[in-house]
Amino acid sequence: MAGKKGIKTIGVLTSGGDAPGMNAAIRAVVRSGISHGLNVKGIRRGYTGLINKDIIDMEARSVSDIIQRGGTVLQTARCQEMLTEEGVQKAADNAKDAGIDGLVVIGGDGSFKGALALSKHGINVVGIPGTIDLDVSCSDYTIGFDTAVNTAMEAIDKVRDTSTSHQRCSIIEVMGRNAGYLALWCGLANGAEDILLPEIYDYDEQQIVDHILANRKRGKKHHIIINAEGIGHSIGMAQRIEAATGLETRATILGHMQRGGSPTCKDRVTATTMGCYAVDILCEGKKSRVVVEKDGHITDFDIDEALAMQKDIPEYQVAISRSLAI
Ligand code: F6P
């Protein structure tokens, strides 16, 4: 049985940093594709696999028992070759050779740039936002964020216990090279005294020192600073703050543990919905789209327009985090 609008074969790949829920999205794309009567191909290691023809046939059973697993069974890569015209050409040629009429790309903005380049070479693409950073501008939500923020929140609660016992200052570094959403949400969820976001941090350490000393006078037993990876240097910062305040200060870098683990219900359901939606719009004949969550609904945007959109750090949440840290 052939799919609608001339689509017979679709491909799916995961690209960039992995995120919990990517497997649920892969499962939805594969099984929804098969339900629509399509052939489904899995491309391993993201665009690297497409450039190297690492393409496998996917059956309903290929995606058994993965909905609850972190990581991505298709594996992923940050593919430098896709930044070159030769790389994009090779990827497009290989997609055409494999008979792929529609390619589902699960990843972040960087991965969508690759998808846009492929679309300019005649490959029909649909993006699904998947990154723990929440920094895909066109979408209110990205698959993996909820799991990652809950993983980090639980870890920070544990650091807080020991920080209070020892009446210390604790700097906890969370992921986010360019984006502070994870740091902001952890800061709010963990009741942090300071949240350092790459988007707005002014590198004024004296202000942090003054805040710590003022809070000590108010009777606070600890001082939690959430520092985003993009600012980094948490160990040096801890040494400087200890020297300036006279208070024991420790740094904890949570690192890649935030990217792993079993996806939360929200990530599984969002990934499943977006995966099915991507296949539906391919079958409707839509071209060059990104699936997004906007105002509580799953919808889709043109990929060119999607990539031009901007998303800001919510000022209100930054303001309340400050007003509560007294
Ligand atoms: O996937 C997003 C992210 O985890 C960022 O928060 C972080 O800055 C980056 O990836 C780390 O990338 P890598 O996997 O190359 O260490």
Side-chain angles (χ1 to χ4, degrees), residues 15-19 22 78 130-135 174-179 182 229-230 255-256 258-259:
S15 165
D18 60 352
M22 280 185 165
R78 299 190 194 274
T131 164
I132 65 161
D133 286 348
L134 196 70
D135 62 344
V174 299
M175 276 195 146
R177 199 154 31 217
N178 304 308
L182 208 50
E229 176 193 352
H256 288 83
Q258 295 160 94
R259 282 233 300 258

Side-chain angles (χ1 to χ4, degrees), residues 1-11 29 32-41 98-104 122-126 278-289:
M1 183 173 65
K4 292 167 195 157
K5 300 276 181 189
I7 302 259
K8 289 199 181 110
T9 301
I10 60 169
V29 170
S32 166
I34 291 168
S35 296
H36 277 93
L38 306 175
N39 303 313
V40 186
K41 298 200 183 271
I100 292 171
D101 306 307
L103 177 65
V104 179
I123 306 298
N124 189 15
V125 292
V126 176
V279 176
D280 285 348
I281 61 175
L282 279 172
C283 289
E284 282 167 23
K286 285 196 176 179
K287 292 197 189 310
S288 306
R289 311 296 293 176

